[in-house]
Amino acid sequence: MIYARGLVKRFGDFTAVDGIDLEVAPGEAFGFLGPNGAGKSSTMRMIGCVSTPTAGELRILGMDPVREGPAIRARLGVCPQTDNLDPDLTVFENLTTYARYFGIPRAEGRRRAAELLEFVQLTEKSGSTVDPLSGGMKRRLSIARAMINEPDLVLLDEPTTGLDPQARHLLWERLFRLKQRGVTLVLTTHYMDEAEQLCDRLVVMDAGKIVADGSPRHLIETYSTREVVELRFGDDAPATYVEKLAGIGERLDPLPDRLLLYSADGDAAVNEVHRRGFTPSSVLVRRSTLEDVFLILTGRTLVD
Amino acid sequence: MVTTYAVTRVARGNRLSPARVGAVINRNVGALRSGPAYWLVLASGFFEPVLYLLSIGVGVGALVGDLTLQNGEVLPYANFVAPAMLAVSAMSGALAETTFNFFFKFKYVKTYDAMLATPLRPMEIAAGELTWAMIRGSLYTGAFLIVMVALGLTTPGWALLAFPATWLVGLAFGAVGMAVSTYIRGWQDFDLISTGQFALFLFSGTFSPVQDYPVPVEILIAITPLYHAVELIRGITTGMLSWSMLGNVAYLLVMLAVGLYVASRRLTSVLCR
Ligand SMILES: Nc1ncnc2c1ncn2[C@@H]1O[C@H](COP(=O)(O)OP(=O)(O)O)[C@@H](O)[C@H]1O
Ligand SMILES: [Mg+2]
């Protein structure tokens, strides 16, 4: 579906995407995980054929995005990072009007619009304009709009950023259904739980480069330990404990507010901390996540 | 002929699809239906030139009396001013759409970003928006022509011929306005546009024959676009056709081709970075 080698995007002398390689297979749910400014949107826009690569090779659905942009876009569904729904049209018209851009006949456009509004649970809002909708509703409408041409490949740029937990879960559930139908999904996110929920495979991006690549499980197993212990020590700076706790677990990462201790066996590590005579004010043993992978790979947290 | 060539070449190079251009127009029809405020804007656009016609053409005309043109023909003043008002309403009707509305969609509501994610090409978007602008302008000019016929300022026959001429005027100004809008930084620039528009309105042979001005001024006016629109339309509604009107048509065609080309290029270079 997507093939990229040495893909580069520069804005003036600033390099936003710095030579990435990608391959996405049909039916896959593929994710770009990375902090703000990592180059996720720039990559998505090149894949969506609305931005020309500065260098490198890119093929989408076996075609060249520069020469065959319209033919590729006819088979893509795009949900951009910021909604660009049409405020002058109703919810229903947003879909039917968009259908016309793809050359879908009126009656067929109306049929699909009704079906998609049902799918994203917006049927009651059909006659409303876009402005009064909540953020989650707008996002769902954007996704419905992206599906109007029954695309082979759906691009979702930060589908749930800024939504409350309930709205996010509803969206995830809808996206999961799309995935079950065999639609190829490519999404970006800076939420590790989103990546874990939705992606079969993902790349971790930082400063325009891919720093790791694999399934969420694979990434965690490769770069992190099975469990992570989060320790907080009253008023003392976590960094001062790095030396004192050296040798426990496989790795220690001091954050401003807590110390992360990576270990295959979290409880055993906690016992060792106590045995050395330290009493943290709070102890949390949890399974390792992609957030930890990101921290280990880049030395920084995903969301600050 | 050069422009016809340019227009068809640009069109062919982008394989302009009537269905996709139609889809862009269709969006505006939908917006018109769903937004009641829009009708109000449309109505006010019609009354402005009619009010000018009544106050200046008829009111001032009563003081001025008849005009004797260079070619010796004598024309009631209202008959002289009315076609200029018609040209102005064709211009401002299209400009209202391709400056203010276009800029809003271009910069703020991101209508064109959404369109560019579909198979639509920039040239098709520009052509669709321009056609819509021309349709909007022709609502004004159609109504205005009926007023002119009713007041006896032209004949129904000439009015029928003048109508498509106002389309050309709308397309030409609309295209240039759209190209300019892609360079606009913010709302303050619209003051410049309306000042420019007003200057054209006053000094394009609208209210007095350009031959009344000193020669350098006359030449200056002959370079500006509204002059050509006024000359063309006045020639038709007064029934005084001349070969120089072909020059006016050519001027407007160049505006159309260049404006459309620049606008579609800018859609790509600004939105597809
Ligand atoms: N059109 C642009 N012009 C200049 N710089 C840009 C442009 N788009 C993005 N950038 C820069 O490129 C970097 C990557 O941006 P982006 O791809 O949006 O990252 P992400 O989506 O991962 O947050 C950022 O530093 C951003 O400021
Ligand atoms: Mg982004």
Side-chain angles (χ1 to χ4, degrees), chain A residues 11 14 16 35-42 81, chain B residues 273:
Chain A
F11 298 106
F14 177 79
N36 277 332
K40 305 183 298 293
S41 295
S42 304
Q81 185 169 343
Chain B
R273 298 203 301 148

Side-chain angles (χ1 to χ4, degrees), chain A residues 30 153 211 220 248 289:
Chain A
F30 182 88
L153 174 61
V211 289
I220 291 167
I248 308 179
T289 68

Side-chain angles (χ1 to χ4, degrees), chain A residues 219-268:
Chain A
L219 286 172
I220 291 167
E221 278 162 15
T222 310
Y223 296 99
S224 188
T225 51
R226 207 171 65 84
E227 293 187 330
V228 178
V229 186
E230 298 199 6
L231 301 169
R232 287 168 208 263
F233 296 93
D235 293 339
D236 294 344
T240 59
Y241 285 87
V242 172
E243 213 166 290
K244 296 172 188 160
L245 299 180
I248 308 179
E250 291 170 30
R251 184 188 164 99
L252 285 162
D253 256 326
L255 297 181
D257 59 335
R258 61 196 192 273
L259 185 72
L260 300 185
L261 198 165
Y262 297 87
S263 168
D265 184 346
D267 290 328

Side-chain angles (χ1 to χ4, degrees), chain B residues 164-232:
Chain B
T166 67
W167 301 344
L168 175 62
V169 173
L171 289 172
F173 280 93
V176 170
M178 194 187 295
V180 170
S181 298
T182 63
Y183 289 94
I184 281 181
R185 293 153 299 175
W187 301 109
Q188 72 278 6
D189 288 353
F190 280 105
D191 291 342
L192 280 176
I193 293 192
S194 35
T195 308
Q197 221 174 311
F198 194 62
L200 289 181
F201 170 66
L202 293 178
F203 300 104
S204 294
T206 340
F207 298 110
S208 57
V210 285
Q211 291 78 17
D212 292 357
Y213 294 106
V215 174
V217 179
E218 189 185 328
I219 292 170
L220 192 69
I221 290 174
I223 297 171
T224 61
L226 185 58
Y227 167 78
H228 293 274
V230 170
E231 285 295 294
L232 174 64

Side-chain angles (χ1 to χ4, degrees), chain A residues 2 11 24-25 53-54 66-67 71 75 84 115 124 126 187 214 217 238 264 269-270 275 279 281-282 286 293 300:
Chain A
I2 304 176
F11 298 106
V24 177
T54 312
V66 177
R67 287 188 303 110
R75 294 170 55 194
N84 53 25
E115 197 180 291
E124 317 85 83
S126 186
L187 60 98
R217 214 62 332 259
V270 174
R275 206 190 57 76
T279 44
S281 58
S282 89
R286 57 166 176 80
V293 172
R300 287 179 296 109

